[in-house]
Amino acid sequence: GDSVTQMEGPVTLSEEAFLTINCTYTATGYPSLFWYVQYPGEGLQLLLKATKADDKGSNKGFEATYRKETTSFHLEKGSVQVSDSAVYFCALTGGNNRLAFGKGNQVVVIP
Amino acid sequence: KAGVTQTPRYLIKTRGQQVTLSCSPISGHRSVSWYQQTPGQGLQFLFEYFSETQRNKGNFPGRFSGRQFSNSRSEMNVSTLELGDSALYLCASSSEGVDTQYFGPGTRLTVL
């Protein structure tokens, strides 16, 4: 079935550093890809999405490009802030309205 | 537009009891999906309802059930609660033909 793999472990970095979180996927067909963010005690917020190969999703300084050849959708931000500290989830759906999520990455930004 | 709302936000139950969680989707959204989030298993799909019909179901025991009303509001029921049912239950809604799901704040269920 469809699945998403995110890099293991939390990510700790200093304010203004460059952030990358890796995400690879396995799916049949042409899934839509998403990044969601979860702040403590809250639900999931949609951060960005891409629906076809080579699409770039972007929002609030975050970007991710749908790479079909490498089945990847890595999240990047050029200069993180303390307020970006949260858990980030990569997800996909194959058109059946059923999201498959990665395990998530805790991002901690130190002032 | 108001976002997805879920009630209650917190629940404490004991083993063997049953519980009902409620979700109101974004106005105009007819699809409602439910997910369970636990530290060990992560985010797992429970089921999806569209126009009062269950359209998709995840791999959960029959103790987990749901329904959707004509106004698209949905409820989820868990019977004979087990300790392992302690989790954050998230509801998400989407509009017809659009695969983007918008999530509510969740209901935190603790089973003692």
Side-chain angles (χ1 to χ4, degrees), chain A residues 32 36 38 49 96-97 99, chain B residues 31 37 48 56 99-101:
Chain A
S32 293
Y36 284 89
Q38 186 174 37
K49 65 178 280 190
N96 59 2
N97 235 27
L99 283 166
Chain B
S31 170
Q37 184 178 24
E48 183 218 2
N56 258 307
D99 59 10
T100 304
Q101 295 184 29

Side-chain angles (χ1 to χ4, degrees), chain A residues 43-100:
Chain A
L44 301 177
Q45 293 181 24
L46 176 67
L47 185 57
L48 52 84
K49 65 178 280 190
T51 58
K52 60 183 188 297
D54 300 324
D55 263 3
K56 177 186 282 190
S58 61
N59 185 26
K60 299 180 182 179
F62 291 90
E63 292 184 341
T65 302
Y66 191 143
R67 300 287 188 200
K68 190 159 176 60
E69 64 277 10
T70 54
T71 61
S72 66
F73 192 54
H74 305 321
L75 182 68
E76 297 181 336
K77 186 176 185 183
S79 176
V80 294
Q81 306 301 313
V82 171
S83 57
D84 294 325
S85 297
V87 181
Y88 292 80
F89 292 93
C90 183
L92 67 81
T93 181
N96 59 2
N97 235 27
R98 175 176 178 157
L99 283 166

Side-chain angles (χ1 to χ4, degrees), chain B residues 28-89:
Chain B
H29 286 190
R30 294 166 62 192
S31 170
V32 174
S33 298
W34 289 88
Y35 296 83
Q36 181 196 64
Q37 184 178 24
T38 59
Q41 299 300 314
L43 282 150
Q44 295 184 284
F45 172 80
L46 280 154
F47 30 65
E48 183 218 2
Y49 285 86
F50 180 83
S51 291
E52 301 179 67
T53 301
Q54 187 180 87
R55 193 159 68 169
N56 258 307
K57 188 177 190 311
N59 189 26
F60 278 81
R63 301 185 296 107
F64 291 82
S65 62
R67 59 178 176 166
Q68 187 179 35
F69 302 94
S70 58
N71 61 358
S72 294
R73 189 177 71 84
S74 177
E75 287 182 348
M76 185 192 124
N77 185 275
V78 188
S79 62
T80 319
L81 284 166
E82 301 177 359
L83 294 179
D85 297 333
S86 294
L88 181 67
Y89 290 88

Side-chain angles (χ1 to χ4, degrees), chain A residues 4-11 21-22 103-106:
Chain A
V4 175
T5 301
Q6 289 182 235
M7 51 197 280
E8 293 285 333
V11 178
I21 305 177
N22 290 340
K103 293 290 188 185
N105 286 101
Q106 172 84 52

